[in-house]
Amino acid sequence: RRSLPAVAPSGLPPSPPSAAKVLSRHLDHWVAADREETLGAWRKRDALKGRQISWDGGTGTADGIEDSGDLVVVTAGGDRVALGAGEVHLRL
């Protein structure tokens, strides 16, 4: 697996053209990535898993990302709900 360059490898803010070039390479990578790599990356960065959330229609505990890309939520009653799109709120 190849490593993608950082936006500002020197630690300094990048120039707009430099940032655009690096961001374009990152976008090219993810456009070409296979489904498993993309899902793996989403799952690795899932900041909601295990957190209490609410959405228009319910509340529950986020339980990961399905193979379809939907967010899985377990309700207080034990039902598993897949949320395909929309806004969720963290319950603090």
Side-chain angles (χ1 to χ4, degrees), residues 1-3 5 15 22 25 30 53 57 69 82:
R1 180 175 178 185
R2 73 183 166 103
S3 177
S15 67
V22 172
R25 279 193 296 236
W30 289 111
I53 64 167

Side-chain angles (χ1 to χ4, degrees), residues 26-47:
H26 281 272
L27 180 59
D28 288 345
H29 170 82
W30 289 111
V31 167
D34 67 26
R35 177 185 179 94
E36 295 307 313
E37 181 181 5
T38 302
L39 282 169
W42 283 358
R43 288 173 174 145
K44 185 173 144 184
R45 294 167 177 84
D46 184 358

Side-chain angles (χ1 to χ4, degrees), residues 52 55 59-61 63 72-82:
Q52 293 294 310
W55 68 97
T59 63
T61 303
D63 194 39
V72 178
V73 181
V74 178
T75 66
D79 294 328
R80 293 177 65 79
V81 178

